[in-house]
Amino acid sequence: MTGREVQLVSYPRGEVRASDFRVVETEVAEPAAGEVLVRNTWTSVDAALRLRIREKAPAGYFAAFPLETAMDGIFTVGEVVESRADGFAPGDTVWHASGWRDYAVVAADVPALGGIATLTKLDTEVAPPQAYLGVLGGNGLTAYAGLFRIAALREGDIVWVSAAAGAVGSLVAQMAKIRGSRVIGSAGSDEKVAHLLDDLGVDAAFNYRSGPLPDLLRAAAPDGIDVYFDNVGGDHLEAAIGAMRRHGRIAICGAISEYDASEPLPGPSNLFLTVANDLTIRGFRGSSNVDLLPEMTQTVGGWLREGRLRYRETIVEGLEHAPEALAGLMRGDNTGKTLVHIA
């Protein structure tokens, strides 16, 4: 049997282009003892992938993808076709980390990224399979851990979330509202701002392209902010430092403004305010907080069932369009989680 897989053929300089990838037909191996063969149905597209298609990934981060090989470490869900592992049977819906391909042979007992089990059977009565790539998966864990553990959210906090219409930011904004915060969201279009206000119920929102960022933030949060959840970095981080109230906390989970840059970008020029106002700035990775996954799944699953938390998906049809989906995500074309539905 053969199947397609997407391979990286050149490390992008600047913007991601479809020509940096190729789709190849490869032979699918038979599963050995302790392995299963999975037909993938949904695969994830995340901004963090941009860091792994550099010739050299950031120090301490996941390694760069080698050229002209399968891109392992991309989360996906699919259906078991053949099993030689205890606990898994044909027809089971599973989650694993061998995405951007039609079929994957997966070992059932080897830890994947962050120590999460390589192969996990999913309860599709709680949510559809693709939700485990977003709201009940890595994005949900990043939002939950960043807001409650890293930023130590307190009831009554004033919270600013950048990229608030994205896969992580949209969940952070709603989680903060559920826990009694006043929430300000920012995004890159008027359409996304309307989504934040009308669909997600944030208290204030602005299009960061519509004027000087410090002025826009000051208008939305005239009393300052206690928590900033950073998905963007750069000028957004500088604006947040300038708006922070005493003992404010900043949780940094991403810096998408820097990912396409071919040269280092300048950092915030107002870092002394972290001293003046006793601020805490902490970066984190969702995969470093895997111990919270069961708690997150139970809590967020309950919010979903109660209708208290909503999520939106940007779906791209066809495995061959996965590179275009990543390029679109980096341009900000998406709302919510970007997924590829594998035909």
Side-chain angles (χ1 to χ4, degrees):
M1 185 170 64
T2 62
R4 300 166 301 162
E5 65 182 31
V6 179
Q7 298 180 352
L8 182 68
V9 295
S10 61
Y11 295 108
R13 303 289 182 181
E15 294 184 1
V16 177
R17 304 182 189 281
S19 57
D20 295 317
F21 302 83
R22 69 180 183 185
V23 180
V24 299
E25 194 85 12
T26 61
E27 186 172 341
V28 178
E30 294 285 338
E35 295 180 334
V36 302
L37 172 63
V38 181
R39 179 179 64 83
N40 292 334
T41 52
W42 296 89
T43 195
S44 187
V45 181
D46 299 285
L49 292 176
R50 181 62 183 87
L51 298 173
R52 300 192 64 194
I53 58 174
R54 293 180 176 182
E55 191 165 358
K56 187 176 182 181
Y61 197 64
F62 299 121
F65 292 119
L67 298 179
E68 300 183 353
T69 61
M71 295 166 61
D72 285 314
I74 300 178
F75 295 120
T76 191
V77 296
E79 181 181 322
V80 174
V81 176
E82 181 181 350
S83 174
R84 297 192 62 197
D86 293 339
F88 297 92
D92 286 346
T93 300
V94 294
W95 173 97
H96 62 88
S98 296
W100 287 38
R101 69 198 80 182
D102 287 323
Y103 293 92
V105 174
V106 186
D109 58 355
V110 178
L113 298 181
I116 306 171
T118 304
L119 196 66
T120 303
K121 192 184 301 185
L122 302 180
D123 182 356
T124 56
E125 293 184 2
V126 175
Q130 68 269 28
Y132 289 90
L133 297 176
V135 62
L136 292 176
N139 300 133
L141 177 62
T142 300
Y144 191 90
L147 190 60
F148 299 125
R149 173 176 282 175
I150 307 302
L153 184 75
R154 297 189 289 259
E155 186 175 351
D157 278 341
I158 300 174
V159 180
W160 175 31
V161 184
S162 59
V168 172
S170 61
L171 301 178
V172 174
Q174 294 177 86
M175 290 177 184
K177 283 294 297 179
I178 289 170
R179 290 289 173 87
S181 296
R182 182 176 189 271
V183 179
I184 297 99
S186 59
S189 73
D190 292 341
E191 180 183 5
K192 290 182 179 180
V193 168
H195 168 60
L196 295 176
L197 293 168
D198 299 339
D199 300 328
L200 302 189
V202 302
D203 298 284
F206 60 87
N207 179 349
Y208 70 84
R209 304 179 195 273
S210 62
L213 189 53
D215 295 345
L216 295 168
L217 180 56
R218 190 177 304 111
D223 297 325
I225 59 177
D226 300 293
V227 170
Y228 172 50
F229 196 102
D230 190 14
N231 292 293
V232 177
D235 59 347
H236 284 59
L237 178 56
E238 182 166 316
I241 292 171
M244 275 284 169
R245 303 204 291 193
R246 195 168 182 82
H247 301 295
R249 291 91 65 206
I250 297 176
I252 302 178
C253 90
I256 196 170
S257 65
E258 304 174 13
Y259 293 172
D260 279 336
S262 55
E263 299 293 335
L265 299 178
S269 62
N270 58 350
L271 282 175
F272 183 73
L273 290 177
T274 63
V275 177
N277 292 320
D278 291 295
L279 306 182
T280 299
I281 301 179
R282 183 175 170 188
F284 74 101
R285 287 156 50 168
S287 59
S288 298
N289 295 272
V290 172
D291 61 297
L292 289 178
L293 187 60
E295 176 186 325
M296 182 279 293
T297 303
Q298 181 177 13
T299 303
V300 174
W303 289 338
L304 288 173
R305 286 190 296 271
E306 295 164 4
R308 302 179 71 190
L309 190 147
R310 311 166 84 180
Y311 63 94
R312 186 178 288 188
E313 297 166 340
T314 296
I315 296 173
V316 175
E317 291 287 343
L319 176 66
E320 66 276 13
H321 297 301
E324 297 164 34
L326 177 58
L329 175 90
M330 297 306 300
R331 289 193 302 267
D333 295 349
N334 67 301
T335 300
K337 175 68 179 179
T338 299
L339 296 164
V340 172
H341 184 214
I342 302 176

